[in-house]
Amino acid sequence: MTRHAPNSVVVRVPGKINLQISVGPKEDDGYHGIVTVFQAISLFDDVTVTKRDLGQGISLDIAGDHTHGVPADETNLSAKAALLMAEKYDIPSDLSIHIRKSIPVAGGMAGGSADAAATIVAIDSLYSLSLSREEMHSVGSLLGSDVPFMLTGGTAVGRGRGDQVTAALSRGVYYWVLAVSTVGLSTPAVYGECDRLRAGMQIATPKVNDQLLQALLAQDAVTVGKSLVNDLQSAACSLRPALRLILDVGHEYGALGSLVSGSGPTVAFLVSDEEHALDLAVALTSSGVVGSVTRATGPVHGARVTEVR
Ligand code: ATP
């Protein structure tokens, strides 16, 4: 039986939470070295990439709960990924890309990077490129420092800009409640505020939090909760003071731990189980200080083909 080349591929990709972000001193090029621990969580975007006739170029459409602020032109990370793949592997970039978004936009959950990762995986399958994980990572890291992790998923330590990813062992399921703001925060603005708050301070080279890694291995959610750390949190709270009120509500309702996810403004609360997640979600919703509340579990796998047509 002959296998026909696919015309369309659907890839499902998760969002992420950073359980640790330790930010090093600002380097000469303006960036910061970081050490981060990522966990992929069960909020997904679905990216469908379909071949078009030669010469038609890229078309993009975006649907779903979270679309505000997502560009529908060549600045979309998914379109950038398609163009880069076409250039690098000498394949056509005449593609239609449909993104169904559930990952909050500009929420510190790497939604754009996730879509870029999904597009790389979709094009690999669409054109039977059979790229290795390393090859996909090297294309991904040109698009954004979170892209390599979104390809891998699970739990991982990120070094460098967060793009040098090593898988970490984690046991069990972690239950999260996420307070999502309607207005995002810009990652460069949060780093800028972090620099401002740290002016004149001696900043050490960041190290991975061993207590956190041990607790993930031991399935010890209580210690994971106590070990959550984000060096960008003060900066995100300084730019968006309402985040402190949200963190307080979670504390009051017995979250095992809480932190601003990535550069914010999503706030992630770790809870003990599904029931606790529901209780906290109700409390946050009725507090009136949160845009919307959603629940998720982690870790989950990275970008994966779910349908080939
Ligand atoms: P970062 O990866 O910098 O932490 P984030 O997770 O906070 O970012 P994203 O959802 O990736 O936030 O969006 C950041 C910006 O990227 C958006 O405001 C939008 O302008 C742009 N963007 C480009 N492509 C996409 C995409 N496919 N989905 C979402 N945002 C995109």
Side-chain angles (χ1 to χ4, degrees), residues 16 18 45 47 60 62 66-71 73 75-80 99 101 103-116 144-147 184-188 191 261-266:
K16 59 81 183 160
N18 303 78
D45 283 359
V47 178
L60 197 70
I62 297 138
H66 298 280
T67 59
H68 185 73
V70 182
D73 58 21
T75 63
N76 191 297
L77 277 168
S78 188
K80 285 189 178 175
I99 306 175
K101 285 203 79 72
I103 305 172
V105 179
M109 302 187 73
S113 301
D115 296 344
S145 43
D146 289 338
V147 181
L185 269 176
S186 137
T187 304
Y191 271 96
S261 175
S263 53
T266 303

Side-chain angles (χ1 to χ4, degrees), residues 3-8 51 126 128 309:
R3 248 181 85 207
H4 293 288
N7 186 51
S8 189
K51 288 177 184 165
L126 206 52
S128 309
R309 299 191 278 248

Side-chain angles (χ1 to χ4, degrees), residues 134-149:
E134 290 69 31
E135 286 170 310
M136 289 200 208
H137 277 208
S138 83
V139 180
S141 61
L142 298 173
L143 295 157
S145 43
D146 289 338
V147 181
F149 174 69

Side-chain angles (χ1 to χ4, degrees), residues 176-178 253 269 271 274-287 290 292-295:
W176 298 96
V177 179
L178 305 164
Y253 281 84
F269 298 96
V271 290
E274 246 177 274
E275 204 181 325
H276 190 184
L278 196 56
D279 288 348
L280 179 54
V282 170
L284 284 164
T285 307
S286 44
S287 72
V290 179
S292 70
V293 180
T294 186
R295 287 172 287 147

